[in-house]
Amino acid sequence: MSARNTFPAPPINRPLGRPLRRGFHTTAATFHGGIDRPEPGTGIKVHFQDAKGNPLKTIEANEGDDLLSIAHEYDIDLEGACEGSVACSTCHVVIDPDHYDLLPEPEDDENDMLDMAFGLTDTSRLGCQVRLTKELDGMTATLPAATRNMFVDGKKPTHH
């Protein structure tokens, strides 16, 4: 007796007598495995500075990387409590005006979270939503003096 004969047939509960079948769906794993660092001199340069304008680090990243992920990759203190799901404002950064105009307009959910950000400016964005392009090479991202974490104060998440 084969295994095929030991299991009952799937129920017929679809129109036209088709058996019920469920598809397998996948989604991209944004944060699993970290990011790949580019070869020195080949990446998009991003300058991070603190709220007083003091340089923190200049890093190189790849096209398509987001500011939150690269900040974590290079140990820059950008929180990201919701891990990039646009459910908080702890990855709030201030982009220099020249590069801000090159970014796409923020979506409504990003604007909703930015309304809760500490030290909001006209060029504020969520780091998790800023994807790097070649045009953004040389961009400066300023970290605000503080963040508002509505989840758990003092806890910093780690990426998987």
Side-chain angles (χ1 to χ4, degrees), residues 67-80:
L67 288 183
L68 177 62
S69 295
I70 62 173
H72 286 187
E73 178 70 20
Y74 288 91
D75 296 320
I76 296 167
D77 195 22
L78 186 59
E79 189 172 344

Side-chain angles (χ1 to χ4, degrees), residues 1-10 21:
M1 182 177 240
S2 71
R4 185 174 288 176
N5 294 335
T6 60
F7 296 104
R21 300 207 191 271

Side-chain angles (χ1 to χ4, degrees), residues 37-153:
R37 293 185 183 193
E39 293 294 322
T42 64
I44 299 166
K45 283 192 168 112
V46 179
H47 309 284
F48 285 92
Q49 63 185 21
D50 67 16
K52 295 179 181 177
N54 300 317
L56 295 173
K57 246 182 210 178
T58 296
I59 59 91
E60 288 187 43
N62 295 307
E63 192 165 5
D65 290 343
D66 64 87
L67 288 183
L68 177 62
S69 295
I70 62 173
H72 286 187
E73 178 70 20
Y74 288 91
D75 296 320
I76 296 167
D77 195 22
L78 186 59
E79 189 172 344
C82 72
E83 298 183 352
S85 64
V86 196
C88 73
S89 63
T90 59
C91 66
H92 166 231
V93 293
V94 178
I95 307 296
D96 66 277
D98 293 337
H99 289 96
Y100 180 84
D101 293 334
L102 300 174
L103 294 170
E105 290 293 316
E107 299 287 330
D108 289 342
D109 54 352
E110 181 181 359
N111 279 327
D112 290 344
M113 291 299 112
L114 282 170
D115 287 342
M116 297 186 293
F118 180 86
L120 187 66
T121 71
D122 290 339
T123 61
S124 289
R125 291 296 298 265
L126 296 182
C128 65
Q129 298 302 299
V130 177
R131 298 251 175 228
L132 296 180
T133 62
K134 297 282 185 195
E135 295 80 27
L136 297 175
D137 189 41
M139 173 176 71
T140 299
T142 303
L143 306 185
T147 62
R148 289 192 180 123
N149 186 345
M150 302 298 179
F151 296 107
V152 180
D153 277 339

